[in-house]
Amino acid sequence: MIARRAALLLAACFVSATPALSDEVTLRAVSAFAEKTTYARPFEKFIERVNAEGKGVIQINYIGGPKAMPPFEVGNALKGGVIDVANSTGAFYTNVMPEADAWKLTQRPMAELRKNGGYDYMAKLYAEKMNAIFFARHTDNNPFHLYLNKPIAAADLTGLKLRITPVYRDFFQALGATVVQTAPGEVYTALERGVVDGYGWPVTGIFDLGWHEKTKYRVDPGFYSAEVSILINKTAWDKLDDAQRAILRKAGDLAEAEAAALYASENGTDIKRQAEAGIQTIKLDGAVAKTYLEKAYEAGWAGVIRQSPEHGPKLREFFSAGK
Ligand code: 173
């Protein structure tokens, strides 16, 4: 009797010590963009979907945005496994992987890049340099613009001091500007104090942190395609079982598939809202606009290739518009 009980106890120990396939896993997530703002919302929707579908299987603990971690540190934290899931853009972690900033230069939709080898080429770099999986791009079809408080009459930014991230550095400098890098959280104060004459930012999101109050002009056309994506630490991913991965994959695929239509709608909404807020459009026309865009891509690629002579030219082939 005693022996039987001991055997049962022992068996119970084994059962509890061996993680059953259905043990719930919790991943830690941080966003480089402030909670509930434009570029955090699609990520938050991803988390909601995972947490709704993943009850008892997988959950994401959303630690928060820049109040939890400085935006330019999120990439390194993901690489080191301090967090398991990140919402960020390539320009914010060029310290870990300079090639990541090249996503802004894609002129093909992600669905095509996932087939033409471009995604696979980048995925290898993410694995090698960042121990990460580039999981889903939830922001695409969303151009960047130059916003100003001083008017310009030509595509010449000589004498202007502009707030940048690596996204805009080479282009704005090529047009003669002086640049200063800041996180989004410092833009309002920089504008308010007149430390900068303008800034780079996509067409959507300037209302999130109140910048419309300190912005006089938007320069058209927009350029590039803003990229914000969900990244997952590779070691954390490798530990997941198939059911856990499937829940993440499904929510990630949805986020990426929804991006183009989501921004087609939001771009229009924010353009209208900017006009209503009194922001004037400086429209570069015809030949000037064409040169402006050519310069944007030329300077952008030159920057990527300078930072990564090995991979830059290959990425340019994958990402550029078909001839
Ligand atoms: O301007 C920025 O901070 C920036 O690089 C960026 C990138 C993608 C989306 C929004 C902003």
Side-chain angles (χ1 to χ4, degrees), residues 33 39 72 89-92 101 139 142 144 163-168 182-184 187 200-202 204 211 226-228:
F33 292 91
Y39 299 101
F72 299 151
T89 181
F92 288 7
D101 188 36
T139 298
N142 179 240
F144 294 97
R163 173 271 173 187
I164 55 134
T165 66
V167 165
Y168 327 90
T182 83
V187 173
W201 191 260
T204 51
W211 305 343
E227 168 272 325
V228 186

Side-chain angles (χ1 to χ4, degrees), residues 299-314:
W301 278 118
V304 169
I305 291 164
R306 188 180 65 246
Q307 303 263 340
S308 183
E310 189 187 349
H311 304 296
K314 200 78 196 139

Side-chain angles (χ1 to χ4, degrees), residues 115-130:
K115 287 185 201 136
N116 82 351
Y119 175 84
D120 292 340
Y121 196 95
M122 277 297 243
K124 196 157 170 278
L125 298 180
Y126 274 81
E128 286 169 8
K129 298 192 169 202
M130 207 173 170

Side-chain angles (χ1 to χ4, degrees), residues 251-269:
D253 287 349
L254 271 174
E256 192 165 293
E258 287 168 353
L262 169 69
Y263 283 95
S265 156
E266 298 217 348
N267 295 352
T269 306

Side-chain angles (χ1 to χ4, degrees), residues 190-223:
L191 290 167
E192 192 175 37
R193 296 191 182 153
V195 173
V196 294
D197 305 306
Y199 57 95
W201 191 260
V203 67
T204 51
I206 71 157
F207 296 92
D208 288 333
L209 303 176
W211 305 343
H212 61 291
E213 294 166 6
K214 306 285 168 197
T215 304
K216 290 202 177 114
Y217 309 100
R218 185 190 69 247
V219 178
D220 282 6
F223 51 92

Side-chain angles (χ1 to χ4, degrees), residues 1-13:
M1 192 64 193
I2 291 170
R4 218 188 122 191
R5 263 171 98 177
L8 276 174
L9 257 176
L10 200 65
C13 279

